[in-house]
């Protein structure tokens, strides 16, 4: 009996060993070469022979359903590509890539053999390097390319992967069509693709993005120092989900490389501008427009928490003209087109300061807790033809205490940058403005309360017209001078004359109607949009505060004071 058991044990053991050896021999001498040949053939045939794929090793375990490819390299036949591009019969983009290792988990071999359906649970691609080069401008018309299904149908009926993970991609895009070739490098890019399917019907599935149920990517620490010689541009992180149709950005930093006046000496007198946007979400993104038209079209964008800091230096007036450089005009000319139905802004701090060379001091204003909504923010030609007006409803606290409500309307399609602005400022103690008026205007406010300031104006890149009404009480000021030690002191005689002859203490004055000031300001072509707004409003305020017969005299007085 024991001999029979031993005999059967030997037979079974031998069969198992033979099976294992057979599988190994089939894998080594048939399956692995067949897979390698099929893969290389698929790449060559789908690219008309322009691209070849090579790898160091393909190891396949048919029982476990796992495979590993190492040292993969995608190469370009430059001579053949040049022939094809001269005939306008191939893409104007070229591709190169290397991958240290690709691992495939749970390949359904039986389904592939009996149903010609290739299904894989996981493809993991580690540390790939991808380079895309635009060799020529894209033609207006392109020849139709074979669909992915048409390419794979020569080998299988369908191709499905439950999950594809790209880890640590280094992506480079070079554009050789520009006078100065441009190059963008993205490192540490991670991409995750869920339920990727190519078959005869998947291209009709509207729930899929590029044949996947979801494509997501994450990118951290993106720096673009070449954006300008005087600024650095950095993103802390950016992520995207096709299933949620959402783009999320953490930390956009636009940072001047030099502080204060060290910047303006290098910027031809232009203002120093820096900003930080902490959290941005763009929701309900139109994926087709983003991929095929290279446009950002979305229902809503939310920008939470941010700082905008602007510094001007009166020592170095701008050299060039700023005509044609209103924000709405520059936005219209951006090469990247977008259409955002609503942009919601929350919790911003906006600061503006200026250096006065006469006092050798700086003063500024700030707008705290700035929030609001912009409607129809677009620079897309078709959308502008339908509606060229962008509305911005903005609320903030001027100097941290006075409520300020504004409504801007920008005609983005207007070549002259036409706009309108209506607003109202609430109550504020004017002595809070002394950090601004003393260094910039050599004027100290001794007392005074603004009850309200309402204004309305329309303009373009050349002129602004409108009116403003400043209601205030008990306004008292002192004209200052700089003494020999560099300190500010009161000019008693000139202050007394100004209070008596030029300045009206209240609006309305007792038993008198409310005074309003007309705005008719011709823009200084070297001044920015925000400087133009301020000078227009200042014109209305001056006409509310100063007596009519004293307007010209006060200008002459200020000129003489500044010269002493």
């Amino acid at each position: 009996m024991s001999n029979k058991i031993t005999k059967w044990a030997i037979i079974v053991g031998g069969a198992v060993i033979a099976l294992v050896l057979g599988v190994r021999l089939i894998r080594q001498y048939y399956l692995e070469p067949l897979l390698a040949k099929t893969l290389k053939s698929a790449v060559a045939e789908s690219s008309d022979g322009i691209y070849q794929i090579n790898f160091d090793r393909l190891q396949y375990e048919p029982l476990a359903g796992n495979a590993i490819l190492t040292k993969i390299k995608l190469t370009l036949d430059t001579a053949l590509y040049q022939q094809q591009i001269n005939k306008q019969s191939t893409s104007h983009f070229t591709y190169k890539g290397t991958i240290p290792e690709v691992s495939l988990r749970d390949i359904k071999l039986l389904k592939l053999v009996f149903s010609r359906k290739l299904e894989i649970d996981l493809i993991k691609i580690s540390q790939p390097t991808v380079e895309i080069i635009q060799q020529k401008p894209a033609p207006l018309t392109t020849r139709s390319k074979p669909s992915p299904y048409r390419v794979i149908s020569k080998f299988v009926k369908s191709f499905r992967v439950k999950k594809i993970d790209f880890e640590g991609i280094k992506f480079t895009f070079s554009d050789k069509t520009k006078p100065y070739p441009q190059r963008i490098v993205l490192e540490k890019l991670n991409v995750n693709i869920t339920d990727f399917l190519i078959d005869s019907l998947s291209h009709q599935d509207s729930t899929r993005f590029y044949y996947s149920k979801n494509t997501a990517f994450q990118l951290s620490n993106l720096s673009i120092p070449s954006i300008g010689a005087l600024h650095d541009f950095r993103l802390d992180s950016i992520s995207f989900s096709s299933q949620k149709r959402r783009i999320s950005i953490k930390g956009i930093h636009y940072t001047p490389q030099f502080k204060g006046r060290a910047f303006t000496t290098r910027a031809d007198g232009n203002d120093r501008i820096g900003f930080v946007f902490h959290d941005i979400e763009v929701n309900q993104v139109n994926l087709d427009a983003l991929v095929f038209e290279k446009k950002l079209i979305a229902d809503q964008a939310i920008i939470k928490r941010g700082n905008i800091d602007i510094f001007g230096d009166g020592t170095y007036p701008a050299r060039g003209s700023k005509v044609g450089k209103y924000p709405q005009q520059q936005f219209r000319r951006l090469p990247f087109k977008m259409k955002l139905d609503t942009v919601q802004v929350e919790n911003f701090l906006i600061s503006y300061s200026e250096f006065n060379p006469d006092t050798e001091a700086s003063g500024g204003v700030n707008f705290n807790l700035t929030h609001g909504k912009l409607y129809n923010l677009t620079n897309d030609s078709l959308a502008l033809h339908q509606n060229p007006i962008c509305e911005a409803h903005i609320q903030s606290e001027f100097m941290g205490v006075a409520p300020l409500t504004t409504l801007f309307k920008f005609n983005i399609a207007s070549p002259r940058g036409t706009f309108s602005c209506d607003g109202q400022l609430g109550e504020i103690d004017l002595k809070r403005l002394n950090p601004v008026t003393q260094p910039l205007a050599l004027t100290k406010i001794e007392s005074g309360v603004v009850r309200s300031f309402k204004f309305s104006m329309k303009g373009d890149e050349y002129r602004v017209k409108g009116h403003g009404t400043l209601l205030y009480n008990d306004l008292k000021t002192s004209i200052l001078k700089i003494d020999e030690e560099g300190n500010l002191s009161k000019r008693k005689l000139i202050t007394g004359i100004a209070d008596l002859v030029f300045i009206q203490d209240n609006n309305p004055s007792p038993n008198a109607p409310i005074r309003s000031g007309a705005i008719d300001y011709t823009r200084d072509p070297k001044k920015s949009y925000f400087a133009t707004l301020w000078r227009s409003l200042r014109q209305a305020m001056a006409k509310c505060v100063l007596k009519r017969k004293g307007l010209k005299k006060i200008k002459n007085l200020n000129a003489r004071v500044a010269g002493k």
Side-chain angles (χ1 to χ4, degrees):
M1 184 70 177
S2 61
N3 291 334
K4 290 184 178 181
I5 294 175
T6 303
K7 180 179 178 180
W8 280 107
I10 294 173
I11 293 173
V12 171
V16 170
I17 293 173
L19 177 62
V20 171
L21 290 174
V23 169
R24 290 181 63 88
L25 291 172
I26 292 172
R27 182 201 71 185
Q28 183 173 354
Y29 294 103
Y30 177 72
L31 287 179
E32 288 181 359
L34 178 63
L35 290 173
K37 181 180 179 181
T38 302
L39 179 59
K40 292 180 179 181
S41 176
V43 172
E45 289 185 21
S46 63
S47 65
D48 296 328
I50 294 177
Y51 293 98
Q52 296 84 38
I53 187 169
N54 296 290
F55 39 85
D56 183 60
R57 179 171 62 94
L58 189 157
Q59 180 178 334
Y60 177 55
E61 299 291 344
L63 296 180
N66 299 331
I68 295 177
L69 287 82
T70 59
K71 296 183 180 180
I72 304 162
K73 187 174 184 180
L74 180 68
T75 57
L76 170 72
D77 186 329
T78 54
L80 181 57
Y81 173 79
Q82 196 59 49
Q83 294 176 11
Q84 297 292 342
I85 200 171
N86 289 337
K87 298 176 181 178
Q88 300 293 325
S89 59
T90 191
S91 171
H92 286 204
F93 296 84
T94 59
Y95 307 87
K96 296 180 181 178
T98 59
I99 306 173
E101 182 178 286
V102 175
S103 62
L104 298 88
R105 294 286 180 267
D106 198 9
I107 304 171
K108 306 296 192 294
L109 180 61
L110 294 179
K111 185 170 286 190
L112 175 62
V113 173
F114 295 106
S115 302
R116 291 186 62 232
K117 293 181 178 180
L118 177 56
E119 294 189 5
I120 304 170
D121 275 3
L122 172 66
I123 298 178
K124 187 175 181 180
I125 302 172
S126 303
Q127 308 298 319
T129 298
V130 180
E131 182 179 8
I132 301 176
I133 302 174
Q134 184 170 0
Q135 304 285 356
K136 288 186 177 183
L140 296 178
T141 58
T142 58
R143 64 169 186 152
S144 60
K145 298 179 181 179
S147 67
Y149 174 69
R150 181 180 171 187
V151 173
I152 70 163
S153 62
K154 300 176 182 178
F155 310 99
V156 292
K157 291 181 179 180
S158 66
F159 174 51
R160 187 170 212 153
V161 184
K162 289 184 178 179
K163 189 176 181 181
I164 305 174
D165 288 340
F166 294 84
E167 295 182 351
I169 302 173
K170 181 179 180 180
F171 174 82
T172 304
F173 176 79
S174 302
D175 188 350
K176 294 185 177 181
T177 67
K178 306 295 183 183
Y180 301 96
Q182 299 178 350
R183 194 166 184 262
I184 298 174
V185 179
L186 305 179
E187 298 193 43
K188 299 180 180 179
L189 173 64
N190 297 321
V191 179
N192 308 105
I193 300 173
T194 304
D195 191 11
F196 182 83
L197 172 64
I198 299 177
D199 63 12
S200 60
L201 298 176
S202 59
H203 69 284
Q204 299 177 2
D205 188 346
S206 61
T207 66
R208 293 184 177 275
F209 175 73
Y210 268 75
Y211 298 94
S212 73
K213 281 293 186 181
N214 185 42
T215 295
F217 73 76
Q218 305 85 36
L219 176 65
S220 301
N221 299 320
L222 172 62
S223 296
I224 308 178
S226 61
I227 194 170
L230 298 175
H231 289 85
D232 286 330
F233 181 78
R234 175 169 59 86
L235 274 70
D236 291 342
S237 68
I238 179 172
S239 60
F240 166 78
S241 169
S242 65
Q243 191 173 47
K244 296 179 180 179
R245 295 171 58 196
R246 177 187 300 165
I247 299 172
S248 299
I249 304 173
K250 302 289 185 182
I252 297 181
H253 305 261
Y254 183 68
T255 308
Q257 295 189 20
F258 303 94
K259 295 183 178 180
R261 302 183 64 205
F263 179 92
T264 53
T265 58
R266 296 169 170 84
D268 292 333
N270 291 320
D271 292 344
R272 176 185 180 271
I273 301 175
F275 61 77
V276 178
F277 299 162
H278 291 285
D279 295 284
I280 299 176
E281 277 193 2
V282 184
N283 298 313
Q284 298 303 305
V285 177
N286 185 320
L287 300 178
D288 288 340
L290 184 64
V291 173
F292 300 112
E293 301 179 47
K294 305 298 185 292
K295 296 178 181 179
L296 177 58
I297 298 177
D299 291 352
Q300 182 192 53
I302 303 175
I303 308 175
K304 298 179 180 179
R305 297 188 305 119
N307 302 301
I308 301 175
D309 182 60
I310 305 171
F311 173 79
D313 190 347
T315 309
Y316 306 98
R319 297 179 183 178
S321 172
K322 288 185 169 60
V323 173
K325 296 181 180 180
Y326 276 175
Q328 62 269 35
Q329 293 174 305
Q330 298 192 76
F331 173 68
R332 175 71 176 89
R333 292 193 292 266
L334 286 177
F336 182 71
K337 302 306 177 183
M338 67 178 70
K339 182 183 184 301
L340 303 175
D341 292 343
T342 305
V343 178
Q344 183 174 323
V345 178
E346 300 177 3
N347 196 11
F348 263 65
L349 171 63
I350 302 174
S351 305
Y352 176 82
S353 59
E354 187 173 311
F355 177 81
N356 185 349
D358 295 327
T359 61
E360 296 186 348
S362 298
V365 297
N366 56 69
F367 302 86
N368 299 66
L369 300 176
T370 301
H371 62 282
K373 292 184 177 181
L374 288 75
Y375 299 98
N376 191 44
L377 180 63
T378 181
N379 59 353
D380 181 66
S381 299
L382 180 59
L384 288 174
H385 180 73
Q386 296 171 347
N387 180 13
I389 305 300
C390 171
E391 290 190 8
H393 300 250
I394 307 296
Q395 297 85 43
S396 64
E397 291 184 357
F398 177 65
M399 302 301 285
V401 294
L404 174 63
T405 301
T406 54
L407 169 59
F408 290 87
K409 293 183 179 181
F410 302 100
N411 187 335
I412 307 296
S414 169
R416 295 170 65 96
T418 57
F419 71 94
S420 67
C421 177
D422 297 274
Q424 179 171 350
L425 177 69
E427 186 172 304
I428 183 172
D429 185 340
L430 286 171
K431 288 186 289 184
R432 287 184 173 272
L433 300 182
N434 278 326
V436 184
T437 61
Q438 289 183 196
L440 299 185
L442 284 174
T443 301
K444 181 180 180 181
I445 300 174
E446 302 290 353
S447 66
V449 175
V450 166
R451 301 303 178 189
S452 70
F453 177 42
K454 294 182 180 180
F455 54 89
S456 178
M457 51 188 174
K458 296 180 179 181
D460 57 24
E461 60 185 353
Y462 298 107
R463 198 168 189 175
V464 179
K465 288 187 175 185
H467 63 273
T469 302
L470 179 67
L471 303 182
Y472 62 94
N473 297 111
D474 193 29
L475 177 60
K476 302 293 182 184
T477 63
S478 296
I479 306 299
L480 305 177
K481 66 178 180 179
I482 304 174
D483 60 26
E484 295 179 354
E485 297 180 355
N487 299 317
L488 297 177
S489 60
K490 182 177 179 179
R491 300 178 68 91
K492 296 181 180 179
L493 178 59
I494 295 178
T495 296
I497 294 174
D499 279 341
L500 181 64
V501 178
F502 304 132
I503 297 177
Q504 303 183 85
D505 297 343
N506 301 279
N507 185 23
S509 297
N511 302 317
I514 293 175
R515 300 184 302 276
S516 293
I519 299 173
D520 190 357
Y521 178 72
T522 300
R523 181 197 182 185
D524 180 344
K526 293 185 178 181
K527 298 299 182 183
S528 67
Y529 175 72
F530 298 103
T532 301
L533 287 183
W534 164 240
R535 282 161 174 76
S536 301
L537 295 173
R538 188 175 65 184
Q539 192 179 77
M541 289 187 287
K543 291 178 181 179
C544 292
V545 172
L546 301 176
K547 296 178 181 179
R548 296 293 188 266
K549 62 181 180 180
L551 286 173
K552 292 184 179 179
K553 293 181 180 179
I554 198 71
K555 292 180 181 179
N556 295 332
L557 179 63
N558 283 338
R560 291 197 298 271
V561 170
K564 293 181 180 180

